[in-house]
Amino acid sequence: MLELAMGIMLGLLGLGAGCAMIAGIGPGIGEGNAVAKACEAIGRQPECKSDVTSTMIMGCAIAETTGLYGLIVAILLIFVAPGTFTGILKDAIK
Amino acid sequence: MTEKAAPEVDVKSAKFRRKDRLYFAMMILPILACIVLKVLFTPAGDGGVQISGAMIFLGENTSMTSLYISESQVNTWAVMISILGLCLYMTHGLSEKAVLKRQLAAEWIVEKCETLVKNNMGGFFREWAPFVAAIMGLSAFSSLICLVGLFSPTGDVNVTFGWAILVFFMIMYYKFRGGLWNYTKGLFSPIPVFAPMNLIGEFATPVSMAFRHYGNILSGAVISALIGSALTGLSKSLLGWLPGVLSDMPLLRVGLPAVLSVYFDVFSGVMQAFIFAMLTMLNVAGAVPWDDWNARRKKRNKPEIQNLVA
């Protein structure tokens, strides 16, 4: 019984971590857009290349935040949650 | 020209050299001590790559109330002492003629920092340059410390959260400059229904700053560890037929992780340091309610403050 419960729990934690990383799609699209626009801007005005580049990198880093939230949730689910939930399961089945 | 000229320093004298050596030792020794500490405290393992948080050197980690000294604290202090040594070394023997090359580097750093702060925060905040430079340097060197095999303090959420809370208090200090009533009124704008959302928005700033920095560094570390373990497995299955000791050696792990580390450790670490400092500057400078503050100062017959962006 305990083995079955553990197997289901670990599998679902892995699935949850995978689902959490769907959050990586958004920043990918957003940063791609940002870089495309920055390239356009540099093409129009090559003299302001350094300003555009620094602003773009700033914006990319901020756009990454939502993806990183997903990443942190996934990391917690993989490395931290199994330990916590195993204890809870053992207590519940006893 | 009323200033008294600085006394010329003799860069060849024994005293100067001795001090130089002392500062140099101050740069190197804390890092070496950390490496020795890590080697002493790491339990014997199979030598595989493993992903783990900060080691705990002293104290218990069993309840919420217990205090303990972890690897991230020790490494942060080592980095701080090391940066202090670097600063003392670079500013040692300053003279008007710039006899030493390190003076030029020090001047370049100070000038860049002041320009950055002036361009992003305005003239009123020009005293903030040392703080911004300090937080940038500490963050960058804390992230780069993983290049010598130590745990990056910035890969621990407690460290980055500490910095973010510090910045949060500074933001709140400047927000309250406009008066408590004006601040409360701002929370209930544009309509009172938005009050909870505005309140969450206030606290979201430090949380997002801390998680951004921590997540970037941690993800780099996790990806490096995953690549390392994958290459170990690959070389075991591909090169297992080699005779003797060679079959146990993860030969494929030579080279490729170092190349990836240039992005994940060096670029990402320096970038996040810059971004943390940049967000600090923008948040603090954007928090000041200039109109309200100047109105309050006018009531008390104090001169108006103008923030000139260079």
Side-chain angles (χ1 to χ4, degrees):
Chain A
M1 185 64 190
L2 187 63
E3 284 85 3
L4 181 66
M6 290 274 248
I8 293 174
M9 184 198 77
L10 288 177
L12 288 180
L13 284 179
L15 258 180
C19 290
M21 282 318 292
I22 294 174
I25 295 174
I29 296 173
E31 284 179 23
N33 274 335
V35 176
K37 292 285 175 191
C39 289
E40 274 178 27
I42 292 173
R44 265 203 303 276
Q45 282 176 304
E47 67 272 11
C48 64
K49 186 182 173 198
S50 62
D51 279 353
V52 170
T53 311
S54 61
T55 314
M56 179 199 74
I57 289 176
M58 221 15 237
C60 280
I62 292 171
E64 243 172 34
T65 311
T66 48
L68 283 169
Y69 288 164
L71 178 80
I72 287 169
V73 169
I75 285 174
L76 286 179
L77 278 177
I78 291 177
F79 292 109
V80 181
T84 321
F85 287 143
T86 309
I88 295 174
L89 253 186
K90 276 181 183 162
D91 287 348
I93 286 185
K94 265 175 204 168
Chain B
M1 297 297 275
T2 53
E3 271 178 49
K4 220 169 111 186
E8 287 298 312
V9 275
D10 182 13
V11 294
K12 295 265 167 59
S13 70
K15 197 182 161 199
F16 188 88
R17 289 240 178 116
R18 209 161 50 232
K19 261 192 165 177
D20 248 14
R21 248 174 268 143
L22 180 73
Y23 294 148
F24 202 73
M26 209 168 150
M27 271 191 270
I28 304 294
L29 284 183
I31 309 291
L32 285 180
C34 271
I35 295 175
V36 169
L37 208 61
K38 171 151 186 160
V39 169
L40 287 181
F41 272 82
T42 307
D46 55 350
V49 182
Q50 49 189 335
I51 301 160
S52 64
M55 262 194 291
I56 288 162
F57 290 135
L58 271 181
E60 294 289 315
N61 187 19
T62 48
S63 72
M64 288 286 282
T65 50
S66 60
L67 290 171
Y68 55 90
I69 294 180
S70 73
E71 206 181 356
S72 42
Q73 270 160 304
V74 174
N75 286 0
T76 315
W77 274 97
V79 169
M80 269 148 61
I81 296 169
S82 186
I83 291 177
L84 180 63
L86 181 70
C87 290
L88 287 173
Y89 178 77
M90 286 180 90
T91 54
H92 191 207
L94 291 183
S95 63
E96 280 179 13
K97 287 176 191 162
V99 188
L100 296 165
K101 273 180 193 144
R102 65 182 91 140
Q103 182 178 349
L104 300 177
E107 281 174 3
W108 183 81
I109 292 171
V110 170
E111 207 182 304
K112 279 280 163 198
C113 262
E114 286 186 342
T115 322
L116 187 72
V117 170
K118 225 177 185 176
N119 286 344
N120 286 303
M121 294 176 88
F124 176 71
F125 289 101
R126 65 188 179 284
E127 290 98 353
W128 273 64
F131 174 74
V132 170
I135 211 161
M136 206 191 286
L138 181 58
S139 167
F141 280 100
S142 300
S143 303
L144 290 180
I145 204 177
C146 65
L147 292 181
V148 291
L150 292 167
F151 176 80
S152 302
T154 40
D156 185 342
V157 75
N158 301 306
V159 175
T160 51
F161 234 107
W163 299 347
I165 289 171
L166 179 70
V167 173
F168 175 67
F169 278 122
M170 287 167 172
I171 294 170
M172 290 322 267
Y173 173 80
Y174 278 109
K175 278 200 172 163
F176 283 133
R177 295 280 88 185
L180 191 60
W181 169 243
N182 283 322
Y183 174 71
T184 322
K185 215 164 59 180
L187 279 184
F188 286 95
S189 69
I191 47 171
V193 184
F194 278 89
M197 267 173 262
N198 283 333
L199 208 59
I200 291 171
E202 295 285 296
F203 290 103
T205 315
V207 171
S208 78
M209 275 172 87
F211 275 168
R212 178 178 304 119
H213 198 156
Y214 154 75
N216 267 296
I217 305 298
L218 183 77
S219 67
V222 168
I223 291 171
S224 301
L226 285 179
I227 288 171
S229 60
L231 287 177
T232 310
L234 198 67
S235 62
K236 250 181 202 154
S237 61
L238 281 184
L239 301 172
W241 51 270
L242 285 171
V245 196
L246 279 175
S247 64
D248 289 338
M249 278 190 183
L251 287 176
L252 288 180
R253 249 167 81 187
V254 177
L256 184 60
V259 175
L260 291 168
S261 154
V262 170
Y263 176 78
F264 286 120
D265 295 336
V266 179
F267 178 75
S268 178
V270 175
M271 202 67 236
Q272 289 308 312
F274 176 72
I275 283 159
F276 196 89
M278 201 78 184
L279 284 176
T280 305
M281 287 191 281
L282 295 179
N283 280 328
V284 171
V288 186
W290 289 109
D291 296 342
D292 295 340
W293 193 9
N294 279 328
R296 280 182 80 207
R297 286 178 74 87
K298 212 174 177 183
K299 271 186 207 161
R300 294 180 197 166
N301 294 321
K302 282 182 183 168
E304 193 176 332
I305 295 174
Q306 279 182 340
N307 189 26
L308 297 172
V309 177

